[in-house]
Every structure is written in structure tokens, then in C-alpha cells.
Amino acid sequence: MMRVLRLALTLLAVLFTSASAQAQTGYVTGTVTDADGNGIGGATVVLLTAAGASAGSVVTTSDGAYRISNVPAGTYTLRVRAISYRPAEQTVTVAEAAPTMLGVQLQLNASVLNPEIISVQGEVQKATESIASAHAVQYEQINERPSVTVVDHVATIPGIDVVKGGIIQSNVVARGFNNIFSGTLLTLTDHRFAFVPSLRVNVPYLSPTTNEDIERIEVVLGPGSALYGPNASSGVMHVITRSPIDSRGTTFTLDAGNQSIFRGAVRHAGATVNERFGYKASFEYFKGEDFFSEDQAELSEGTQRDFDLEKYAGEIRLDFRPAAGTDIIATYGRAQAGSAIEPTGLGAAQIRDWVFNAYQLRASRGRLFGQVFLNQSDAGETFLLRNRTNPDRGVIVDKSTQLVGQLQHGTGLTSRMDFIYGLDYQLTTPQTEGTINGRNEDDDEVTEIGGYLHSRTQLLTNVELVAAVRVDKHSRLDDAVFSPRAGLLWQPSENQGFRVTYNRAFSTPSTNNLFLDLQVGAIPLGPTASYIVRALGTPPEGFQFRRSCTGGVGNGLCMRSPFVPTSPFMPALASPLYQAAVAALIAGGLEAQLAAQIGGPGAAAVVNRLRTTSPAAADNVGTQLRRLNPTSQKFEDVQPADVTDLTAIEPTITNAYEVGYRGSLADRFGLSVDVWTQRRENFVGPLIVETPNVFLDRTSLIPYLTTNLTPVVGAAAAAQLAPVIAMGMGGVPNATSTATTGVPLGVVNLDHPLNNPTDIVLAYRNFGTVDLWGSDLGVDYRFDGGISLAGTYSYVNKDFFAKQVGGHDIALNAPASKGSVSARYRTPGGGGALGAFSAELRNRWVAGFPANSGVYIGRVPAYTLLDAGFSFKPALFPQAMISVNATNLLDKEHIQFIGGAQIGRLIMTRLQYTF
């Protein structure tokens, strides 16, 4: 904590040592209305200086009123924007110690595809002015839709993939490369990282931010490392909360739904008379019962899932505005998941009192911005459901922290050229008490330092060149990473923008990629022998297979065997351990099975013959290598050539080119189109089984058994029995049968101290180069009378990459195509005689896709969902709102990822009152 305090004090000193006593100020106040004179709530009002810097900003109250205080005397531009309305600008002159009254009228906009966003410079910017594909979901849309997590509000944004594992468990990524336990989409809350610190995974229900407190959700697609730093190779989702000074009042919310869902939330915000100090406190409680799901590997362990859901979350925030254009904001947030099921790459975890804490201090003065924040995680009594035979195993301890400091400044070099530059510092400190990081516990801290320079140059009146460069150094990597960016933006009109961009982004290895050391399961072979399934991070020296055993398959591969517990490495050959396979079959009831076919005496004779004979070299009984499929718990054939060493984990580099257009046409039609291509080098895949097991080859075993058993039971009976016995010993090719999959006689170990003799190892590796391209489309058409239609479609040319390095199949873990069609209605003019009414009917469809992530391997079937919702604000009680939202209205049970729940209909209602 002392390190946090020092960073915070340094931040304040850098930002405000030049502050001096302020001159007398005035304020600007007024009302934002529509063409009929009705107030427009939720509009953003910004006061800009002649240089374009913000001198203050507010969001209008429910009746359209606004007030911007502490404004020095001078001439400004007042910019007003609201969803569904055309933006407006007016010049205003502010006098000292006096109010300036200014009313603003907005006209309905034909398109909702061009909402405002907040750029990294902190200035209000339209999506058509962005050099990246950018989308925003505004406060009104968020508040009107009862939902469980923030992910529910971005499901239909083009290019976004949302995978739900249950009611509250979900992953969200941009343009594929999803995982069951994913953090590939950089997720921020008020510029602070929102992922669990050392695990670097986005867990939406561990966010302390309540829905009532969200001002907007911004989504930027495509690589963004040049400005955002590491792990922004797919895009950024940024949740921005409401300032207590600009959104005062108290809001009570009650949500309820099927699956025993109940949610209660309260938000209270206030400010001093002079509006220099503001305070806010928000809190929510959620409980419910998750959709049913099960895992055969858990059932074999005798474990039972707890489907009860419970969550507590809240934030406290203090704002201080000592002068116009200066803000100091301190925030503390805490979320506690009392009970939930969270699928991970190692199997599902039963969440028990997992706590996430976030401390943040940020400040801005003009174009100078700085912040320091600390994220803390405490997994409570969480445990892995697949590994509970021994109560001491499977426990997950995570008390990790991440400390981040950032400083950014911008300046205009000339009237046509503008620069932004900054520095970032990250310190990640895992604390797992020997569980997640096992034997790596004492050497797993990571530091990342980066710096960047970003420029915007006005080449012509409506043509802008954007360029950026960034350099980052990771303490566990030898080389720094270089991330350039370049783009051209052409705006033929105010509401249209064309862009061409190149981005080079990167993702650094996570602490799991580097330091994971966790037993995740066991495969018993009898009362005294078993294999341990272990997940390992890949160390700096990598992992190598020993190839010095003469006679071993694959040019001398070595193995170790639980049937020879004191043996060192031995040749990867199955036939010397033939009797171990026989003993395993007999212990599994082979004699009783044979007796049902050929009678007791014949069965005893066969068993005795098997016990007393073994194949000689001349019998040519071969060896088959097979890898464990953690999902089916069966083994699948691999070739010796697929057994390849693992090098040290390198950062994944993404080179992406994109052409895009966004704008509105004819005052009714909105269009957003993006076409992109990218190459990912050193792609780091999910956990995959690397160490194959050694089996007797079933094909060559059958003739040996036929010859060996003929003297005992005769040729005809031997020909019938040999294939059955061979299947029991050697298994079924590619594990296509539900029958036994053979006896694993040994395991081809990694030649490393972390790999114990009987470990079956899952590990991370770089998978070379992956190329793909895709497109994202969004359309919107507004009719008279408040009705609009919208549609989205996204396409990626590949969802599966076969036989990558090591013979592994890699999946995009996302659909190659998906889309949505929506019909919306909103009462024109902000409300009628009865009140304000809005409604939406939405159809979403997702193509089926292969999934391969950790222990979850299979195919996700295609699904189509119908959603519907409405909200009503009665004229007699304008501060009240009633809303209903139904997802999967037709109750089509489906899974969205292997290992996830069968998701059915979910209907939620909301009653809200604000005063």
C-alpha cells in the first residue's frame, strides 16, 4: 500500500503543482429540448475552449436541465449531443460571477449508428471521427434493459462475440479467438483494467460497477496496442460511469425474474452548492438459480455443483473540481461473488466468496491525465470441481494484486498537427499459496513498462493522418515489443467517415502462461497406480522431450510408466509392458466378461494363457501414441511426428489492415461497414495436452492374440475373442467408441523437473502463424413515428486451424458468421400524453462452431434466439420506470460453449424510481 500512496502523491504533484488561485468564475445553465419543447434527459453538454479543450461537461437531468459551473470568463463553444438526435453547437460568452442562460433545441436524427464516443484524449467525439471501428451503448439503453451483467448490452454490436456459460457467467471478445476463461478483449472501467489481476480474465459479475451507474459502454474493434498497451490486440471495451456532480439524485431499482432471480440496487449522488465537490455511493445485491449443467469428469469424482447464485457489489466515488477543466476523482469498488459456477480451462470452478477490490485515483487538468489504481483478488474458498477426490486438492487460492500507474499529455504542435504521449507502468504480483502457481510461487512477479507517441495531422480540410508508435518491455521477455499504427481518415461530410488503417498489436504472456503449476485431475489404473493430469506454464527454457532411448518410437522417444514406478526414462515401447495391460484387464473383470461368451472353463483358460505369454520381437506387436481428450476422458491417436518440443512463450503479434466506413445517408439510413485482415504470429493457444500416452497397437495386437489363443479355444473362438481383448488393451482408434479406450502403459514425459514421472501435462505453446480475414456490417433505418429497424452481420473466413505446431487443432472458439435483426419503437418527442414508451423485438442467430479450449473440446451447435423488451415512464410519475426484458423468449435450450449450461428463457422485470 505504501507503493500505491507514493504513486498517488506523485501523480497529484505532477498534475497540480502549477495550480494557482482561481479568478472569479461564472456558470452556464439552461435546458435542452426537442422540437416540441419537451426536455431531453441524458443529453451530454460540453463547453469547449477556443483550443478545443473541455472547460466542463454535464449530463442533463430527466427534464433536460443542465448547469456547468466554475467557468472562467471568456467565449466558448457549447456542444450538445443526445442519442437519436442531431448534435448542436452554439457560441456562448461567459461573464465573471454571473449566470449565462442558454437553451438548446435538438432535432431528431435519422440514424442511431453514429452515437458519440469518448476518445482516448478525453474529448467528445463522434464515431465517424474515430480512426477505429467504434460503437457505443448509451445510458438510456442500458438503464431501460434489465440485465445481469454489462455483457448483455453489447451482444449485438457487430464484431463482438458473447458466449454465456450460464445466467451470470459470460465471455466477450472481438472478432474471435475466444476461450472458456478469456481475457483477450481489453476491458476497462473508467480507464482502469477490469480483469482479475494475475489471471488476466474478464469476469463480468466481479465488476463492482452497477448498471445504474453506467453512463456509456464504448467498444473499439481491432488492434489498439499503440495507445492502450499490452493485450489490446483484438479491441477494447470501456465502461464509463456517471459523475456524481453531473448526475445527482437517488435511484432505487428492483429487478426480478424466473430462475428465482432477485436484484436490488440503490445509487445516491450529491454535490456541494458550488459544485466543486461531488460524492456517490452505489450498491447492488443479486441472487438466483443458474441453468442446469454437468460434467462427466466431475460426476466420476463424486462432486455436485451448487447452482445457487449470489453477488454483492458497490462503489464509493468522490469528485473534486477545483477549477474549470480540472478533475480529481477517487474511487473504491468491491464485488463479492458468494456463489457461482465459472468454467475455466481446467474444468469448472465452484465460486465461494470470491472478492474483487479496486482502488483508483485519477486526475486531469486540461490535456494532462494521470492515474494510479490497484486491483486486488481473493478467491475465498473457491475450488475446482474436477479435482475433489481429496479435499486438499482442487482448492484455488488467489490473493493477487496489480498496481498500475499511467501518465498522458497532449499538445498541438501546429494548427494542423496534434500529439498525445504517455507512459504506463504495471506490476502484477500473484499470490496463490502454492496452488495455482505451485512450485513457481516464489518467482512469479511481472513488471511491464511502456511509452507511446500518437499524432493526428490535418492533411486537407477533410483528410486526417493518424500515426502512433509504442514500445513496451516485459520483465520476463528478452526483447521489447514495438507497436506502430497508421491510418487515413476522410470525412466528405459531417456525418460520414472513411478510413484505412494499419495496426501492429501484441499480447504478452499471462502469469498462467508462464507460471501455472496445478494438479487438475487423475486417471486411476487400479488400487496402486494412476496418472496425474497437471497444467503447467511454459518456463523461459521451454519444455523438451527426451529422445535418447534406443528403440523408442519417434526416433528414440522416452517414457516413464506407473507400472514401473522406480524406473528412469525407458524407450517409448508398449510390448515390454504387455503383462501390465493384461493385469489391468483382469482387474477390470475380463474373466467374467469372457465367461458370458465362452463359459467359465474356457474363460479361465484364456486368462491363464494371457498371464503366461508375452509377444516377442518377431511378433511385431506395435506401439500407438494417443493423447488424452480431457472433455471425453478418452484417448485419441497421434503420430510420433506430432510430439514436438515447446519453446519459451513469446508475445503474440497481430498485424492488421482495415478499411471502414461509417455514416448516415438521407437523414434516415445509417451504415457501418468494416473489412479487415490480420496475421497473428506466435499465437498462444489455450491449454492443450502435450504428453502422449503409450498404448499397445490394436491392429497388430489382433493377429498375435488370435495365434496365441487358438491352441486354447480353437481358431474360430480365438478370431472372435482377439478383437475384443485387443480393444481392451489397445483402445479404439480416435476414441470413437463409448467402450473402454485401452490401458495407457506409459507417458512420454517432458524432460523437466516440473514434469513428474506419471504426469499427463497440459501446457501453453506458440502455434506459429494464423491468417484470417472478416467483415462487420451494421445498418439502421428510421421511419416516421419513432419506429426504426436495425441489422448486424459479422463474418470470419476461418473458425478452425487444423494440425498446427505439434499436430494440434486450434479453434477460433467463435462462430464464422452471426447476425441480428431488431425492430424498435420509442415515443416521439420524448413522451406522449400517457408517458414515454419504448419497445424492442430482436432476433439473433449464431452459426455452429468447433471449440477447443483447455479441457473443453467439441462442437457448439448453431442457435437462433428471439428477444423482446419494453419500458414505460408514466407521465403522472415521470421519475418512475417499469421495464421488462426477455432473452430467448421461445425457450430454445442451447449451449453457447462446450462445458456451458443449457440456457433457456430468461425474463426479467424492473421497477425503478429516481428522485
Short mmCIF file of all heavy atoms in Angstrom, two decimals, residues 139-159:
data_model
loop_
_atom_site.label_atom_id
_atom_site.label_comp_id
_atom_site.label_asym_id
_atom_site.label_seq_id
_atom_site.Cartn_x
_atom_site.Cartn_y
_atom_site.Cartn_z
N TYR A 139 -26.52 5.48 -21.86
CA TYR A 139 -27.14 5.29 -20.55
C TYR A 139 -28.61 4.89 -20.66
O TYR A 139 -29.07 3.97 -19.97
CB TYR A 139 -27.01 6.57 -19.73
CG TYR A 139 -27.90 6.60 -18.50
CD1 TYR A 139 -27.60 5.85 -17.37
CD2 TYR A 139 -29.07 7.37 -18.49
CE1 TYR A 139 -28.42 5.86 -16.26
CE2 TYR A 139 -29.89 7.39 -17.39
CZ TYR A 139 -29.57 6.64 -16.28
OH TYR A 139 -30.39 6.64 -15.18
N GLU A 140 -29.36 5.57 -21.53
CA GLU A 140 -30.79 5.31 -21.62
C GLU A 140 -31.06 3.86 -22.03
O GLU A 140 -31.93 3.19 -21.48
CB GLU A 140 -31.42 6.28 -22.61
CG GLU A 140 -32.94 6.27 -22.60
CD GLU A 140 -33.51 7.40 -23.45
OE1 GLU A 140 -32.91 7.69 -24.51
OE2 GLU A 140 -34.54 7.99 -23.06
N GLN A 141 -30.28 3.36 -23.01
CA GLN A 141 -30.46 1.97 -23.45
C GLN A 141 -30.09 0.99 -22.34
O GLN A 141 -30.73 -0.04 -22.16
CB GLN A 141 -29.59 1.72 -24.68
CG GLN A 141 -29.98 2.54 -25.89
CD GLN A 141 -28.91 2.47 -26.96
OE1 GLN A 141 -27.86 3.09 -26.87
NE2 GLN A 141 -29.19 1.69 -27.99
N ILE A 142 -29.02 1.30 -21.62
CA ILE A 142 -28.56 0.41 -20.55
C ILE A 142 -29.56 0.35 -19.41
O ILE A 142 -29.91 -0.72 -18.91
CB ILE A 142 -27.18 0.89 -20.04
CG1 ILE A 142 -26.14 0.80 -21.15
CG2 ILE A 142 -26.75 0.08 -18.81
CD1 ILE A 142 -24.85 1.51 -20.84
N ASN A 143 -30.06 1.51 -19.02
CA ASN A 143 -30.94 1.57 -17.87
C ASN A 143 -32.31 0.96 -18.15
O ASN A 143 -32.97 0.43 -17.25
CB ASN A 143 -31.10 3.02 -17.41
CG ASN A 143 -31.71 3.13 -16.02
OD1 ASN A 143 -31.25 2.48 -15.08
ND2 ASN A 143 -32.75 3.95 -15.90
N GLU A 144 -32.76 1.04 -19.40
CA GLU A 144 -34.09 0.53 -19.73
C GLU A 144 -34.13 -0.98 -19.87
O GLU A 144 -35.21 -1.56 -19.88
CB GLU A 144 -34.57 1.17 -21.05
CG GLU A 144 -34.95 2.63 -20.92
CD GLU A 144 -35.37 3.25 -22.24
OE1 GLU A 144 -35.21 2.56 -23.28
OE2 GLU A 144 -35.85 4.39 -22.24
N ARG A 145 -32.97 -1.63 -19.98
CA ARG A 145 -32.94 -3.07 -20.20
C ARG A 145 -32.47 -3.79 -18.93
O ARG A 145 -31.30 -3.75 -18.58
CB ARG A 145 -32.00 -3.43 -21.36
CG ARG A 145 -31.88 -4.94 -21.59
CD ARG A 145 -30.85 -5.25 -22.65
NE ARG A 145 -31.28 -4.78 -23.96
CZ ARG A 145 -30.47 -4.32 -24.90
NH1 ARG A 145 -29.18 -4.25 -24.67
NH2 ARG A 145 -30.95 -3.94 -26.06
N PRO A 146 -33.38 -4.44 -18.21
CA PRO A 146 -32.93 -5.23 -17.04
C PRO A 146 -31.95 -6.31 -17.49
O PRO A 146 -32.21 -7.04 -18.45
CB PRO A 146 -34.23 -5.86 -16.52
CG PRO A 146 -35.33 -5.03 -17.09
CD PRO A 146 -34.83 -4.53 -18.41
N SER A 147 -30.81 -6.38 -16.83
CA SER A 147 -29.79 -7.33 -17.23
C SER A 147 -28.99 -7.75 -16.00
O SER A 147 -29.04 -7.11 -14.96
CB SER A 147 -28.85 -6.73 -18.28
OG SER A 147 -28.15 -5.64 -17.73
N VAL A 148 -28.24 -8.83 -16.17
CA VAL A 148 -27.47 -9.37 -15.05
C VAL A 148 -26.06 -8.79 -15.03
O VAL A 148 -25.53 -8.45 -13.99
CB VAL A 148 -27.42 -10.91 -15.14
CG1 VAL A 148 -26.58 -11.48 -14.01
CG2 VAL A 148 -28.84 -11.48 -15.07
N THR A 149 -25.42 -8.70 -16.21
CA THR A 149 -24.09 -8.11 -16.30
C THR A 149 -24.03 -7.16 -17.48
O THR A 149 -24.92 -7.13 -18.33
CB THR A 149 -22.99 -9.18 -16.47
OG1 THR A 149 -23.11 -9.77 -17.77
CG2 THR A 149 -23.09 -10.25 -15.40
N VAL A 150 -22.94 -6.40 -17.55
CA VAL A 150 -22.76 -5.41 -18.60
C VAL A 150 -22.67 -6.05 -19.97
O VAL A 150 -23.00 -5.43 -20.99
CB VAL A 150 -21.51 -4.57 -18.31
CG1 VAL A 150 -20.24 -5.41 -18.41
CG2 VAL A 150 -21.41 -3.38 -19.24
N VAL A 151 -22.27 -7.32 -20.03
CA VAL A 151 -22.10 -8.01 -21.31
C VAL A 151 -23.41 -8.09 -22.08
O VAL A 151 -23.42 -8.07 -23.32
CB VAL A 151 -21.52 -9.42 -21.06
CG1 VAL A 151 -21.52 -10.25 -22.34
CG2 VAL A 151 -20.12 -9.32 -20.50
N ASP A 152 -24.54 -8.15 -21.40
CA ASP A 152 -25.84 -8.26 -22.07
C ASP A 152 -26.12 -7.09 -23.00
O ASP A 152 -26.93 -7.20 -23.92
CB ASP A 152 -26.95 -8.36 -21.04
CG ASP A 152 -26.83 -9.61 -20.17
OD1 ASP A 152 -26.36 -10.63 -20.70
OD2 ASP A 152 -27.18 -9.55 -18.98
N HIS A 153 -25.46 -5.95 -22.78
CA HIS A 153 -25.76 -4.75 -23.56
C HIS A 153 -24.94 -4.65 -24.84
O HIS A 153 -25.20 -3.77 -25.66
CB HIS A 153 -25.50 -3.51 -22.70
CG HIS A 153 -26.32 -3.46 -21.45
ND1 HIS A 153 -27.69 -3.38 -21.46
CD2 HIS A 153 -25.95 -3.53 -20.14
CE1 HIS A 153 -28.14 -3.37 -20.21
NE2 HIS A 153 -27.11 -3.47 -19.40
N VAL A 154 -23.96 -5.51 -25.04
CA VAL A 154 -23.10 -5.40 -26.22
C VAL A 154 -23.23 -6.60 -27.16
O VAL A 154 -22.48 -6.73 -28.12
CB VAL A 154 -21.62 -5.23 -25.81
CG1 VAL A 154 -21.44 -3.97 -24.97
CG2 VAL A 154 -21.10 -6.45 -25.06
N ALA A 155 -24.21 -7.48 -26.89
CA ALA A 155 -24.30 -8.75 -27.62
C ALA A 155 -24.56 -8.57 -29.11
O ALA A 155 -24.18 -9.43 -29.90
CB ALA A 155 -25.40 -9.62 -27.00
N THR A 156 -25.18 -7.46 -29.53
CA THR A 156 -25.50 -7.29 -30.95
C THR A 156 -24.61 -6.26 -31.63
O THR A 156 -24.89 -5.86 -32.76
CB THR A 156 -26.97 -6.88 -31.13
OG1 THR A 156 -27.23 -5.67 -30.41
CG2 THR A 156 -27.90 -7.98 -30.65
N ILE A 157 -23.54 -5.83 -30.99
CA ILE A 157 -22.60 -4.94 -31.67
C ILE A 157 -21.85 -5.73 -32.72
O ILE A 157 -21.35 -6.83 -32.44
CB ILE A 157 -21.62 -4.31 -30.65
CG1 ILE A 157 -22.36 -3.28 -29.79
CG2 ILE A 157 -20.45 -3.64 -31.36
CD1 ILE A 157 -21.50 -2.63 -28.74
N PRO A 158 -21.74 -5.25 -33.95
CA PRO A 158 -21.02 -6.00 -34.99
C PRO A 158 -19.59 -6.32 -34.54
O PRO A 158 -18.90 -5.47 -33.98
CB PRO A 158 -21.02 -5.04 -36.18
CG PRO A 158 -22.17 -4.12 -35.94
CD PRO A 158 -22.27 -3.96 -34.46
N GLY A 159 -19.17 -7.55 -34.81
CA GLY A 159 -17.81 -7.96 -34.49
C GLY A 159 -17.60 -8.45 -33.08
O GLY A 159 -16.52 -8.96 -32.75
#
